[in-house]
Amino acid sequence: MNLSPRIENFVLHCGEMGSRWGFNRTIGQMVALLVIHEQPLTANEIAESLKISRGNVSMGIKELQSWQLVKVTHIPGDRKEYYAPNGSIWDLANRVFEERRKREIDPTLSLLRDQILEGSESPEEEYAQNQIQTIHDLLETITKWSAELQRLSPEQLQTLMKLGSSVSKVIDLKDKLLKKS
Amino acid sequence: MNLSPRIENFVLHCGEMGSRWGFNRTIGQMVALLVIHEQPLTANEIAESLKISRGNVSMGIKELQSWQLVKVTHIPGDRKEYYAPNGSIWDLANRVFEERRKREIDPTLSLLRDQILEGSESPEEEYAQNQIQTIHDLLETITKWSAELQRLSPEQLQTLMKLGSSVSKVIDLKDKLLKKS
DNA sequence: CTAAAGTTTCAGTAATTATTGAAACTTTAA
DNA sequence: TTAAAGTTTCAATAATTACTGAAACTTTAG
């Protein structure tokens, strides 16, 4: 399994970006490789293509499954496991987005909720408590909004995204709508 | 500078989350501390509160400035530098969001653009090229959309966010609007 | 100009995170 | 039932990233 220079370029880049996207180099490379290949690949092919150990691939697959980014397929008469991306590019991006929300926002939201329940004891903590409330509200809004986006169909999302510079017009529109009813 | 248990709790949590938010533990703690304190703090106070070295604070401040998250203030007759959050919670979140877009999306977008220009040579690369195009389009849409959000006033953004479950209604509305005109 | 107050830098080291590879485990064809 | 094919686990180690603290640098009051 030798990669063409161009594909190798893409795969290596995704490896470098991997850690910024919430995983590590190997995993970034693995996603890239799977996405760019029409046919599913075996663990050995992945290891060979990326020049990494078989064990590393196994751990990577496991991680990618926890992100729901790969699926396993089989070829009749062949007992090897073949791996492929779990859905379209759009599906994958959505899952990464969702998973990151879980890791980056949810734990904090839950801590802040608890802290708000406790109330502020000393007057010195009054300001702190206020700031915590503000952060909490912000995170909650983001969470609700992102859940909302997840609920939209890809087509609706496309429409929304493509609204582009007319977003503010839509907001105005919504205001008018509210006033009428 | 001793922190109350509750504030310490918050600060430590932000430290743990720091790396998930795109920086490191120290920096997460520093932002938390600055945000929770009404008065600006000196570098020494920060070092003492967080029990970290003075040098580490200096590097942290530098990093926070590159994210545009802190501002420096002075007290007349005192030549020490005092640090405070650079704007409201909402401003800070916005900056983090923007900065992360720059680090996580822009480099890839630029690589993909180049790769698309090169075109696909072998037919074997045809599929790869297609996938790259799809990723490119997705990232470009996200970029445009996020620039759009940055342009909205906080109030407009609030309105948009609070649309919540009526987002899809607004999209339908927009469709109707388009058909009329 | 100079010394005191304050800040930054960076080489060395500590802490964390990723990777290998060999051994253990699992599955299946015969 | 067993041995060959395939997969997973995990202790050891490599690679990366973060932190300290002492020395160098900068600023300013007198």
Side-chain angles (χ1 to χ4, degrees):
Chain A
M1 286 281 309
N2 248 8
L3 304 180
S4 80
R6 149 156 345 167
I7 287 183
E8 183 170 49
N9 197 19
F10 173 74
V11 168
L12 291 181
H13 172 87
C14 291
E16 296 315 316
M17 298 301 286
S19 56
R20 302 191 183 176
W21 295 339
F23 17 81
N24 64 33
R25 187 173 358 141
T26 301
I27 296 198
Q29 292 181 352
M30 286 176 58
V31 188
L33 187 64
L34 291 176
V35 159
I36 215 94
H37 258 268
E38 193 157 13
Q39 292 80 20
L41 297 172
T42 63
N44 277 327
E45 286 171 326
I46 296 172
E48 197 196 341
S49 300
L50 304 179
K51 298 175 177 58
I52 60 178
S53 76
R54 189 60 189 68
N56 200 2
V57 172
S58 177
M59 297 207 282
I61 296 281
K62 215 170 131 195
E63 176 78 2
L64 282 176
Q65 278 168 338
S66 88
W67 286 74
Q68 307 201 74
L69 296 179
V70 290
K71 66 179 174 203
V72 185
T73 61
H74 288 275
I75 293 182
D78 181 347
R79 56 196 266 215
K80 284 196 287 300
E81 305 205 304
Y82 286 79
Y83 302 98
N86 186 12
S88 67
I89 299 287
W90 194 86
D91 292 328
L92 300 186
N94 238 330
R95 299 233 177 75
V96 171
F97 187 72
E98 178 66 4
E99 186 69 23
R100 285 179 62 168
R101 207 213 67 223
K102 280 191 202 146
R103 298 177 186 208
E104 295 173 13
I105 296 188
D106 290 4
T108 303
L109 200 46
S110 129
L111 178 97
L112 298 189
R113 249 196 279 272
D114 293 348
Q115 291 212 338
I116 287 168
L117 286 180
E118 287 172 19
S120 58
E121 284 165 357
S122 74
E124 182 252 334
E125 281 182 355
E126 197 63 36
Y127 179 82
Q129 192 71 1
N130 250 311
Q131 291 291 76
I132 286 178
Q133 181 74 54
T134 308
I135 299 171
H136 170 271
D137 294 349
L138 175 68
L139 296 185
E140 197 153 68
T141 307
I142 294 175
T143 301
K144 277 186 188 156
W145 175 259
S146 94
E148 195 54 41
L149 291 185
Q150 298 284 323
R151 202 171 301 128
L152 296 180
S153 70
E155 296 74 37
Q156 284 179 309
L157 202 77
Q158 277 287 78
T159 309
L160 186 61
M161 288 285 178
K162 284 188 179 150
L163 277 181
S165 65
S166 56
V167 169
S168 49
K169 282 176 207 151
V170 172
I171 293 175
D172 295 345
L173 199 64
K174 198 251 176 184
D175 285 347
K176 280 181 200 161
L177 191 73
L178 276 187
K179 276 176 193 161
K180 273 185 191 169
S181 61
Chain B
M1 286 283 305
N2 247 7
L3 304 180
S4 79
R6 149 157 343 167
I7 287 181
E8 183 170 51
N9 197 20
F10 173 74
V11 168
L12 291 181
H13 172 86
C14 292
E16 296 315 315
M17 298 301 287
S19 56
R20 302 191 184 176
W21 295 339
F23 15 81
N24 64 32
R25 187 171 359 142
T26 301
I27 295 196
Q29 292 181 351
M30 287 178 56
V31 189
L33 188 64
L34 292 175
V35 159
I36 215 94
H37 259 268
E38 193 156 15
Q39 293 79 22
L41 298 171
T42 64
N44 279 326
E45 286 171 325
I46 295 171
E48 198 195 340
S49 301
L50 303 180
K51 298 175 176 59
I52 58 177
S53 75
R54 187 63 187 68
N56 199 2
V57 172
S58 177
M59 295 205 285
I61 296 281
K62 214 169 132 196
E63 176 78 1
L64 283 176
Q65 278 167 338
S66 88
W67 286 73
Q68 306 202 77
L69 296 179
V70 291
K71 66 178 173 204
V72 185
T73 61
H74 288 274
I75 293 182
D78 181 347
R79 58 194 266 214
K80 285 196 287 299
E81 306 205 304
Y82 287 79
Y83 301 99
N86 187 11
S88 67
I89 299 287
W90 194 84
D91 292 328
L92 302 187
N94 239 331
R95 298 234 178 74
V96 171
F97 186 72
E98 178 66 4
E99 186 68 22
R100 285 180 62 170
R101 207 213 68 222
K102 278 190 203 145
R103 298 177 187 208
E104 297 173 12
I105 296 188
D106 290 3
T108 303
L109 201 45
S110 128
L111 178 96
L112 298 189
R113 251 195 280 269
D114 293 349
Q115 291 213 338
I116 288 168
L117 286 181
E118 287 174 18
S120 58
E121 283 165 358
S122 73
E124 181 251 338
E125 278 182 357
E126 197 62 38
Y127 180 81
Q129 191 71 1
N130 249 312
Q131 291 290 76
I132 285 177
Q133 180 74 55
T134 307
I135 299 171
H136 170 272
D137 294 349
L138 175 67
L139 295 185
E140 197 153 69
T141 307
I142 294 175
T143 301
K144 277 188 189 155
W145 176 257
S146 95
E148 196 53 43
L149 291 185
Q150 300 282 324
R151 201 171 303 127
L152 295 180
S153 70
E155 297 73 38
Q156 284 179 308
L157 202 76
Q158 278 286 79
T159 309
L160 186 61
M161 287 286 177
K162 285 191 177 147
L163 276 181
S165 65
S166 56
V167 169
S168 48
K169 284 175 204 151
V170 173
I171 293 176
D172 294 346
L173 198 64
K174 198 252 173 181
D175 283 348
K176 280 182 200 160
L177 192 73
L178 276 187
K179 277 177 193 161
K180 274 185 190 169
S181 62

